[in-house]
Amino acid sequence: MTDKSILREKILQLKEKRNAIILAHNYQREEVQDIADYTGDSLELSRTAASIKCDVIIFCGVNFMAESASILSPEKTVLLPEVTACCPMADMITVSGSRNLKTQFPGYQYTGGYRYPADFTLRDIKNLHPGVPVVTYVNTTADVKAESDICCTSSNGIKIVESLDTDQVICVPDRNLSAWIAKNTGKKIIAWDGFCHVHDRITAEDVTRVRKEHPDALLLAHPECRIEVCEMADHVTSTSGMLRFAKSSDAKELVIGTETGLLYRLRKENPDKIFYPLRKDMVCPNMKKTTLNSVLQSLETMTYKIKVPEETRIPAKRALDRMLEIK
Ligand code: 13P
Ligand code: SF4
C-alpha cells in the first residue's frame, strides 16, 4: 500500500466513526478532491452544507467557506483542516474601524458606478449611501455578511443584483465581480477596491497571447478576472459553471481562466477534450494548504473548529438564506 492509500484508508475509517462528511472546493489538491464526498463551487458547497445530514463537516477550502457552513448549520461541528487557510480578498474589507473619515471621499467613478478604496469600512459606505442595499460576495467574513442585505457568489451575482428593486446597489468586496455585474445589469454599482490576487493578475495581453497559442480553443474566465479579460472571454462563469459549460460545449479545446485546481475535474470529466490554463501561475496558495495529512489530523483531533457567535450568525444567516432562496 502506498502512503497515500494508507492515509485514505485511515480517513475513510475515521470519517465513518465521526459521522463526518468531507466537502472540497474545486481548487483543492487532486488527492483531497478524490477523498471528498462533495466537490463544488461556493454556491453548491453552501447548499450542500445547509442540507446535508451528518454530525461533522470537514471543510477543505478557505476559512470563509467553513464559516458559511457553520452559519447555515450551527448544530454541526465544522472543521477547517488548515487553520491558516484564508482568502486574502475576504480580509480586504472590515465592518468598522477606528479610521477617521477626514473627508467624505466620494469614491471614484468607474464603469457603472463608484468604487471606494479598501481602507474605507463597510459602515462608512453604508453611511454615505443610506438605504442602498448591500450585496456581499461570499468571500467575506461572517461580520461583513451580518452587515449585509444579501450574499452572492460568482455564479449568481448578476441574478441577485437583478432581484433587487433599486437602481443603485452596494457590491463588496471584489471590484472585478462588481464591474462585471454593473456591465450585465445596467444598475449603478457602488463598489469596493478589493480583488483576488490570483485572478486580478491576468491581463488583456495574456488573453491575446493564449488566443494566438490556441486559436481553436474557447476561453472561459472567472468573474474575479479584470473586466477587460471578461470582455475578451467566450464565457464568464463560476468554477462549477465552467465544468457545466465544458461538458455541454462542442469545443474540443478550452482555455481556463481560473485557479489551476479546476483543471483536475475538467480533465477527469472530459477525457476527450484538451484544457489549457490561461496562465500557469494561477495558483491560490491558501487553497493548496490542505493535504491528506491535514484532513486526517483534523478528524483525529477534531480541529480546527469554526464557530460564529450567535449575534453575528443570525444576521449573517439571513443574508445567506436570502441568497439561497433565489433559484
Ligand atoms: P467559485 O464560487 O466560482 O468556485 O469561486 C470561489 C473562489 O474563491 C474564486 O476564487
Ligand atoms: Fe480568495 Fe482568490 Fe484564493 Fe479564491 S482564489 S480563495 S478569491 S484568494
Side-chain angles (χ1 to χ4, degrees), residues 274-311:
I274 304 171
F275 298 95
Y276 311 101
L278 205 170
R279 247 171 71 158
K280 287 193 181 116
D281 64 354
M282 290 188 80
V283 178
C284 175
N286 282 288
M287 282 284 184
K288 299 296 186 261
K289 283 182 178 167
T290 309
T291 61
L292 286 184
N293 263 316
S294 39
V295 174
L296 179 60
Q297 201 189 332
S298 176
L299 276 162
E300 280 172 347
T301 57
M302 294 295 280
T303 51
Y304 295 89
K305 288 195 176 81
I306 304 296
K307 192 95 189 132
V308 177
E310 277 302 279
E311 66 272 21

mmCIF file of all heavy atoms in Angstrom, residues 274-311:
data_model
loop_
_atom_site.group_PDB
_atom_site.id
_atom_site.type_symbol
_atom_site.label_atom_id
_atom_site.label_comp_id
_atom_site.label_asym_id
_atom_site.label_seq_id
_atom_site.Cartn_x
_atom_site.Cartn_y
_atom_site.Cartn_z
ATOM 1 N N ILE A 274 -9.256 18.949 -24.534
ATOM 2 C CA ILE A 274 -7.945 19.444 -24.070
ATOM 3 C C ILE A 274 -8.157 20.778 -23.350
ATOM 4 O O ILE A 274 -8.852 21.671 -23.868
ATOM 5 C CB ILE A 274 -6.969 19.638 -25.257
ATOM 6 C CG1 ILE A 274 -6.840 18.328 -26.046
ATOM 7 C CG2 ILE A 274 -5.582 20.072 -24.769
ATOM 8 C CD1 ILE A 274 -6.071 18.482 -27.352
ATOM 9 N N PHE A 275 -7.565 20.892 -22.170
ATOM 10 C CA PHE A 275 -7.703 22.113 -21.373
ATOM 11 C C PHE A 275 -6.330 22.746 -21.140
ATOM 12 O O PHE A 275 -5.374 22.043 -20.815
ATOM 13 C CB PHE A 275 -8.352 21.786 -20.016
ATOM 14 C CG PHE A 275 -9.746 21.237 -20.173
ATOM 15 C CD1 PHE A 275 -9.969 19.857 -20.197
ATOM 16 C CD2 PHE A 275 -10.833 22.082 -20.328
ATOM 17 C CE1 PHE A 275 -11.242 19.340 -20.363
ATOM 18 C CE2 PHE A 275 -12.113 21.582 -20.498
ATOM 19 C CZ PHE A 275 -12.319 20.206 -20.512
ATOM 20 N N TYR A 276 -6.274 24.065 -21.314
ATOM 21 C CA TYR A 276 -5.037 24.802 -21.068
ATOM 22 C C TYR A 276 -5.319 25.851 -19.983
ATOM 23 O O TYR A 276 -6.364 26.500 -20.025
ATOM 24 C CB TYR A 276 -4.586 25.569 -22.319
ATOM 25 C CG TYR A 276 -4.577 24.756 -23.583
ATOM 26 C CD1 TYR A 276 -5.618 24.857 -24.508
ATOM 27 C CD2 TYR A 276 -3.502 23.901 -23.868
ATOM 28 C CE1 TYR A 276 -5.616 24.115 -25.680
ATOM 29 C CE2 TYR A 276 -3.490 23.156 -25.055
ATOM 30 C CZ TYR A 276 -4.548 23.264 -25.947
ATOM 31 O OH TYR A 276 -4.535 22.533 -27.106
ATOM 32 N N PRO A 277 -4.386 26.048 -19.042
ATOM 33 C CA PRO A 277 -4.583 27.163 -18.094
ATOM 34 C C PRO A 277 -4.338 28.486 -18.809
ATOM 35 O O PRO A 277 -3.468 28.551 -19.683
ATOM 36 C CB PRO A 277 -3.519 26.912 -17.023
ATOM 37 C CG PRO A 277 -2.470 26.095 -17.702
ATOM 38 C CD PRO A 277 -3.127 25.324 -18.815
ATOM 39 N N LEU A 278 -5.090 29.513 -18.456
ATOM 40 C CA LEU A 278 -4.857 30.824 -19.094
ATOM 41 C C LEU A 278 -3.447 31.298 -18.731
ATOM 42 O O LEU A 278 -2.734 31.844 -19.554
ATOM 43 C CB LEU A 278 -5.911 31.825 -18.609
ATOM 44 C CG LEU A 278 -6.242 32.996 -19.503
ATOM 45 C CD1 LEU A 278 -7.465 33.739 -19.009
ATOM 46 C CD2 LEU A 278 -5.111 33.957 -19.720
ATOM 47 N N ARG A 279 -3.076 31.051 -17.457
ATOM 48 C CA ARG A 279 -1.687 31.258 -17.042
ATOM 49 C C ARG A 279 -1.355 30.194 -16.004
ATOM 50 O O ARG A 279 -2.180 29.936 -15.122
ATOM 51 C CB ARG A 279 -1.538 32.657 -16.414
ATOM 52 C CG ARG A 279 -0.668 33.576 -17.251
ATOM 53 C CD ARG A 279 -0.706 34.984 -16.766
ATOM 54 N NE ARG A 279 -0.011 35.143 -15.493
ATOM 55 C CZ ARG A 279 0.453 36.299 -15.061
ATOM 56 N NH1 ARG A 279 0.272 37.399 -15.791
ATOM 57 N NH2 ARG A 279 1.047 36.401 -13.910
ATOM 58 N N LYS A 280 -0.165 29.629 -16.108
ATOM 59 C CA LYS A 280 0.186 28.503 -15.221
ATOM 60 C C LYS A 280 0.317 28.924 -13.757
ATOM 61 O O LYS A 280 0.233 28.097 -12.865
ATOM 62 C CB LYS A 280 1.507 27.876 -15.691
ATOM 63 C CG LYS A 280 1.355 27.081 -16.973
ATOM 64 C CD LYS A 280 2.591 26.221 -17.213
ATOM 65 C CE LYS A 280 2.449 25.449 -18.507
ATOM 66 N NZ LYS A 280 3.414 25.798 -19.521
ATOM 67 N N ASP A 281 0.548 30.213 -13.530
ATOM 68 C CA ASP A 281 0.726 30.652 -12.142
ATOM 69 C C ASP A 281 -0.587 31.090 -11.488
ATOM 70 O O ASP A 281 -0.583 31.763 -10.464
ATOM 71 C CB ASP A 281 1.768 31.778 -12.063
ATOM 72 C CG ASP A 281 1.312 33.038 -12.805
ATOM 73 O OD1 ASP A 281 0.257 33.000 -13.476
ATOM 74 O OD2 ASP A 281 2.013 34.058 -12.707
ATOM 75 N N MET A 282 -1.711 30.676 -12.026
ATOM 76 C CA MET A 282 -2.989 30.970 -11.368
ATOM 77 C C MET A 282 -3.200 29.933 -10.258
ATOM 78 O O MET A 282 -4.016 29.008 -10.382
ATOM 79 C CB MET A 282 -4.143 30.956 -12.365
ATOM 80 C CG MET A 282 -4.101 32.125 -13.333
ATOM 81 S SD MET A 282 -5.579 32.221 -14.346
ATOM 82 C CE MET A 282 -6.751 32.999 -13.238
ATOM 83 N N VAL A 283 -2.434 30.072 -9.211
ATOM 84 C CA VAL A 283 -2.475 29.110 -8.113
ATOM 85 C C VAL A 283 -2.779 29.872 -6.823
ATOM 86 O O VAL A 283 -2.115 30.856 -6.513
ATOM 87 C CB VAL A 283 -1.123 28.364 -7.988
ATOM 88 C CG1 VAL A 283 -1.148 27.393 -6.810
ATOM 89 C CG2 VAL A 283 -0.806 27.621 -9.284
ATOM 90 N N CYS A 284 -3.777 29.412 -6.090
ATOM 91 C CA CYS A 284 -4.129 30.047 -4.815
ATOM 92 C C CYS A 284 -3.409 29.279 -3.697
ATOM 93 O O CYS A 284 -3.785 28.151 -3.384
ATOM 94 C CB CYS A 284 -5.641 30.001 -4.602
ATOM 95 S SG CYS A 284 -6.129 30.629 -2.993
ATOM 96 N N PRO A 285 -2.376 29.892 -3.100
ATOM 97 C CA PRO A 285 -1.603 29.155 -2.091
ATOM 98 C C PRO A 285 -2.456 28.707 -0.911
ATOM 99 O O PRO A 285 -2.203 27.662 -0.320
ATOM 100 C CB PRO A 285 -0.543 30.159 -1.637
ATOM 101 C CG PRO A 285 -0.651 31.344 -2.530
ATOM 102 C CD PRO A 285 -1.924 31.273 -3.300
ATOM 103 N N ASN A 286 -3.470 29.496 -0.575
ATOM 104 C CA ASN A 286 -4.309 29.123 0.573
ATOM 105 C C ASN A 286 -5.155 27.889 0.296
ATOM 106 O O ASN A 286 -5.391 27.073 1.178
ATOM 107 C CB ASN A 286 -5.188 30.305 0.977
ATOM 108 C CG ASN A 286 -4.395 31.314 1.770
ATOM 109 O OD1 ASN A 286 -4.049 31.060 2.917
ATOM 110 N ND2 ASN A 286 -4.058 32.433 1.151
ATOM 111 N N MET A 287 -5.609 27.776 -0.942
ATOM 112 C CA MET A 287 -6.411 26.599 -1.312
ATOM 113 C C MET A 287 -5.566 25.332 -1.329
ATOM 114 O O MET A 287 -6.074 24.230 -1.242
ATOM 115 C CB MET A 287 -7.048 26.808 -2.686
ATOM 116 C CG MET A 287 -8.248 27.710 -2.650
ATOM 117 S SD MET A 287 -9.658 26.804 -1.968
ATOM 118 C CE MET A 287 -10.953 28.022 -2.145
ATOM 119 N N LYS A 288 -4.257 25.507 -1.481
ATOM 120 C CA LYS A 288 -3.373 24.338 -1.583
ATOM 121 C C LYS A 288 -2.805 23.906 -0.228
ATOM 122 O O LYS A 288 -2.043 22.949 -0.157
ATOM 123 C CB LYS A 288 -2.204 24.655 -2.549
ATOM 124 C CG LYS A 288 -2.674 24.978 -3.975
ATOM 125 C CD LYS A 288 -3.358 23.774 -4.615
ATOM 126 C CE LYS A 288 -3.719 23.977 -6.063
ATOM 127 N NZ LYS A 288 -5.113 24.332 -6.307
ATOM 128 N N LYS A 289 -3.156 24.627 0.841
ATOM 129 C CA LYS A 289 -2.590 24.274 2.153
ATOM 130 C C LYS A 289 -3.108 22.925 2.646
ATOM 131 O O LYS A 289 -2.412 22.193 3.328
ATOM 132 C CB LYS A 289 -2.943 25.368 3.176
ATOM 133 C CG LYS A 289 -2.079 26.609 3.024
ATOM 134 C CD LYS A 289 -2.418 27.658 4.067
ATOM 135 C CE LYS A 289 -1.497 28.866 3.910
ATOM 136 N NZ LYS A 289 -1.943 30.018 4.664
ATOM 137 N N THR A 290 -4.348 22.603 2.326
ATOM 138 C CA THR A 290 -4.960 21.374 2.848
ATOM 139 C C THR A 290 -4.412 20.150 2.120
ATOM 140 O O THR A 290 -4.416 20.102 0.888
ATOM 141 C CB THR A 290 -6.491 21.442 2.694
ATOM 142 O OG1 THR A 290 -6.929 22.667 3.254
ATOM 143 C CG2 THR A 290 -7.174 20.275 3.385
ATOM 144 N N THR A 291 -3.947 19.171 2.912
ATOM 145 C CA THR A 291 -3.404 17.923 2.363
ATOM 146 C C THR A 291 -4.154 16.752 2.991
ATOM 147 O O THR A 291 -4.943 16.938 3.928
ATOM 148 C CB THR A 291 -1.912 17.792 2.726
ATOM 149 O OG1 THR A 291 -1.832 17.757 4.155
ATOM 150 C CG2 THR A 291 -1.075 18.944 2.190
ATOM 151 N N LEU A 292 -3.873 15.538 2.511
ATOM 152 C CA LEU A 292 -4.494 14.355 3.135
ATOM 153 C C LEU A 292 -4.085 14.271 4.599
ATOM 154 O O LEU A 292 -4.887 13.910 5.457
ATOM 155 C CB LEU A 292 -4.074 13.085 2.403
ATOM 156 C CG LEU A 292 -4.724 12.838 1.036
ATOM 157 C CD1 LEU A 292 -4.278 11.490 0.489
ATOM 158 C CD2 LEU A 292 -6.248 12.896 1.105
ATOM 159 N N ASN A 293 -2.832 14.632 4.896
ATOM 160 C CA ASN A 293 -2.370 14.616 6.286
ATOM 161 C C ASN A 293 -3.183 15.562 7.149
ATOM 162 O O ASN A 293 -3.553 15.218 8.268
ATOM 163 C CB ASN A 293 -0.896 15.041 6.349
ATOM 164 C CG ASN A 293 0.003 13.840 6.389
ATOM 165 O OD1 ASN A 293 -0.279 12.891 7.122
ATOM 166 N ND2 ASN A 293 1.054 13.847 5.594
ATOM 167 N N SER A 294 -3.449 16.771 6.613
ATOM 168 C CA SER A 294 -4.213 17.716 7.457
ATOM 169 C C SER A 294 -5.653 17.256 7.638
ATOM 170 O O SER A 294 -6.246 17.475 8.693
ATOM 171 C CB SER A 294 -4.108 19.157 6.961
ATOM 172 O OG SER A 294 -4.141 19.282 5.586
ATOM 173 N N VAL A 295 -6.215 16.592 6.614
ATOM 174 C CA VAL A 295 -7.596 16.089 6.758
ATOM 175 C C VAL A 295 -7.626 15.009 7.843
ATOM 176 O O VAL A 295 -8.509 15.006 8.724
ATOM 177 C CB VAL A 295 -8.120 15.523 5.413
ATOM 178 C CG1 VAL A 295 -9.492 14.867 5.589
ATOM 179 C CG2 VAL A 295 -8.208 16.627 4.358
ATOM 180 N N LEU A 296 -6.629 14.115 7.813
ATOM 181 C CA LEU A 296 -6.586 13.041 8.825
ATOM 182 C C LEU A 296 -6.424 13.636 10.226
ATOM 183 O O LEU A 296 -7.146 13.275 11.156
ATOM 184 C CB LEU A 296 -5.436 12.073 8.511
ATOM 185 C CG LEU A 296 -5.278 10.934 9.524
ATOM 186 C CD1 LEU A 296 -6.539 10.070 9.601
ATOM 187 C CD2 LEU A 296 -4.084 10.053 9.174
ATOM 188 N N GLN A 297 -5.502 14.581 10.333
ATOM 189 C CA GLN A 297 -5.267 15.206 11.645
ATOM 190 C C GLN A 297 -6.519 15.921 12.161
ATOM 191 O O GLN A 297 -6.851 15.872 13.341
ATOM 192 C CB GLN A 297 -4.109 16.178 11.534
ATOM 193 C CG GLN A 297 -3.512 16.444 12.900
ATOM 194 C CD GLN A 297 -2.513 17.570 12.877
ATOM 195 O OE1 GLN A 297 -1.880 17.823 11.850
ATOM 196 N NE2 GLN A 297 -2.373 18.257 13.988
ATOM 197 N N SER A 298 -7.227 16.548 11.235
ATOM 198 C CA SER A 298 -8.447 17.255 11.591
ATOM 199 C C SER A 298 -9.469 16.275 12.189
ATOM 200 O O SER A 298 -10.099 16.552 13.220
ATOM 201 C CB SER A 298 -8.986 17.905 10.310
ATOM 202 O OG SER A 298 -10.184 18.528 10.522
ATOM 203 N N LEU A 299 -9.597 15.104 11.564
ATOM 204 C CA LEU A 299 -10.546 14.092 12.056
ATOM 205 C C LEU A 299 -10.079 13.483 13.380
ATOM 206 O O LEU A 299 -10.889 13.174 14.252
ATOM 207 C CB LEU A 299 -10.683 12.980 11.017
ATOM 208 C CG LEU A 299 -11.684 13.239 9.892
ATOM 209 C CD1 LEU A 299 -11.417 12.308 8.728
ATOM 210 C CD2 LEU A 299 -13.121 13.073 10.382
ATOM 211 N N GLU A 300 -8.760 13.312 13.505
ATOM 212 C CA GLU A 300 -8.236 12.694 14.736
ATOM 213 C C GLU A 300 -8.402 13.615 15.928
ATOM 214 O O GLU A 300 -8.795 13.191 17.001
ATOM 215 C CB GLU A 300 -6.741 12.364 14.562
ATOM 216 C CG GLU A 300 -6.521 11.078 13.787
ATOM 217 C CD GLU A 300 -5.044 10.857 13.438
ATOM 218 O OE1 GLU A 300 -4.223 11.787 13.577
ATOM 219 O OE2 GLU A 300 -4.729 9.748 12.999
ATOM 220 N N THR A 301 -8.088 14.899 15.715
ATOM 221 C CA THR A 301 -8.041 15.828 16.863
ATOM 222 C C THR A 301 -9.265 16.736 16.927
ATOM 223 O O THR A 301 -9.369 17.556 17.832
ATOM 224 C CB THR A 301 -6.773 16.704 16.769
ATOM 225 O OG1 THR A 301 -6.808 17.388 15.507
ATOM 226 C CG2 THR A 301 -5.505 15.876 16.846
ATOM 227 N N MET A 302 -10.161 16.593 15.937
ATOM 228 C CA MET A 302 -11.359 17.440 15.841
ATOM 229 C C MET A 302 -10.989 18.930 15.843
ATOM 230 O O MET A 302 -11.527 19.736 16.595
ATOM 231 C CB MET A 302 -12.356 17.127 16.974
ATOM 232 C CG MET A 302 -12.932 15.737 16.874
ATOM 233 S SD MET A 302 -13.955 15.514 15.399
ATOM 234 C CE MET A 302 -15.476 16.278 15.907
ATOM 235 N N THR A 303 -10.029 19.264 14.966
ATOM 236 C CA THR A 303 -9.599 20.659 14.825
ATOM 237 C C THR A 303 -9.677 21.050 13.350
ATOM 238 O O THR A 303 -9.602 20.157 12.485
ATOM 239 C CB THR A 303 -8.145 20.843 15.280
ATOM 240 O OG1 THR A 303 -7.340 19.872 14.623
ATOM 241 C CG2 THR A 303 -8.013 20.730 16.771
ATOM 242 N N TYR A 304 -9.764 22.281 13.015
ATOM 243 C CA TYR A 304 -9.949 23.436 13.879
ATOM 244 C C TYR A 304 -11.421 23.811 13.814
ATOM 245 O O TYR A 304 -11.934 24.023 12.700
ATOM 246 C CB TYR A 304 -9.075 24.591 13.380
ATOM 247 C CG TYR A 304 -7.598 24.228 13.526
ATOM 248 C CD1 TYR A 304 -6.929 23.574 12.502
ATOM 249 C CD2 TYR A 304 -6.920 24.522 14.705
ATOM 250 C CE1 TYR A 304 -5.587 23.229 12.660
ATOM 251 C CE2 TYR A 304 -5.570 24.197 14.856
ATOM 252 C CZ TYR A 304 -4.922 23.533 13.836
ATOM 253 O OH TYR A 304 -3.620 23.179 13.974
ATOM 254 N N LYS A 305 -12.040 23.917 14.972
ATOM 255 C CA LYS A 305 -13.488 24.159 14.998
ATOM 256 C C LYS A 305 -13.783 25.596 14.579
ATOM 257 O O LYS A 305 -13.187 26.540 15.074
ATOM 258 C CB LYS A 305 -14.029 23.922 16.403
ATOM 259 C CG LYS A 305 -14.067 22.452 16.788
ATOM 260 C CD LYS A 305 -14.950 22.239 18.020
ATOM 261 C CE LYS A 305 -15.063 20.765 18.360
ATOM 262 N NZ LYS A 305 -13.939 20.218 19.117
ATOM 263 N N ILE A 306 -14.738 25.746 13.662
ATOM 264 C CA ILE A 306 -15.146 27.076 13.203
ATOM 265 C C ILE A 306 -16.555 27.319 13.735
ATOM 266 O O ILE A 306 -17.483 26.552 13.426
ATOM 267 C CB ILE A 306 -15.129 27.162 11.656
ATOM 268 C CG1 ILE A 306 -13.748 26.798 11.101
ATOM 269 C CG2 ILE A 306 -15.597 28.532 11.162
ATOM 270 C CD1 ILE A 306 -12.607 27.725 11.483
ATOM 271 N N LYS A 307 -16.698 28.332 14.543
ATOM 272 C CA LYS A 307 -17.989 28.619 15.172
ATOM 273 C C LYS A 307 -18.192 30.123 15.187
ATOM 274 O O LYS A 307 -17.283 30.866 15.561
ATOM 275 C CB LYS A 307 -17.960 28.063 16.613
ATOM 276 C CG LYS A 307 -19.274 28.026 17.300
ATOM 277 C CD LYS A 307 -19.943 26.660 17.178
ATOM 278 C CE LYS A 307 -21.369 26.711 17.692
ATOM 279 N NZ LYS A 307 -22.322 26.116 16.791
ATOM 280 N N VAL A 308 -19.340 30.565 14.736
ATOM 281 C CA VAL A 308 -19.610 32.009 14.667
ATOM 282 C C VAL A 308 -20.530 32.374 15.830
ATOM 283 O O VAL A 308 -21.541 31.695 16.048
ATOM 284 C CB VAL A 308 -20.281 32.341 13.304
ATOM 285 C CG1 VAL A 308 -20.647 33.809 13.212
ATOM 286 C CG2 VAL A 308 -19.360 31.938 12.158
ATOM 287 N N PRO A 309 -20.215 33.433 16.600
ATOM 288 C CA PRO A 309 -21.090 33.809 17.724
ATOM 289 C C PRO A 309 -22.516 34.105 17.239
ATOM 290 O O PRO A 309 -22.699 34.655 16.138
ATOM 291 C CB PRO A 309 -20.436 35.068 18.292
ATOM 292 C CG PRO A 309 -19.141 35.236 17.590
ATOM 293 C CD PRO A 309 -19.079 34.319 16.425
ATOM 294 N N GLU A 310 -23.498 33.749 18.066
ATOM 295 C CA GLU A 310 -24.905 33.859 17.654
ATOM 296 C C GLU A 310 -25.292 35.260 17.193
ATOM 297 O O GLU A 310 -26.052 35.419 16.243
ATOM 298 C CB GLU A 310 -25.828 33.436 18.808
ATOM 299 C CG GLU A 310 -26.036 31.937 18.928
ATOM 300 C CD GLU A 310 -26.612 31.265 17.674
ATOM 301 O OE1 GLU A 310 -27.833 31.315 17.462
ATOM 302 O OE2 GLU A 310 -25.806 30.679 16.908
ATOM 303 N N GLU A 311 -24.750 36.299 17.863
ATOM 304 C CA GLU A 311 -25.163 37.666 17.487
ATOM 305 C C GLU A 311 -24.696 38.023 16.069
ATOM 306 O O GLU A 311 -25.265 38.894 15.414
ATOM 307 C CB GLU A 311 -24.708 38.707 18.529
ATOM 308 C CG GLU A 311 -23.217 38.907 18.672
ATOM 309 C CD GLU A 311 -22.563 37.958 19.675
ATOM 310 O OE1 GLU A 311 -23.143 36.883 19.974
ATOM 311 O OE2 GLU A 311 -21.453 38.281 20.133
#
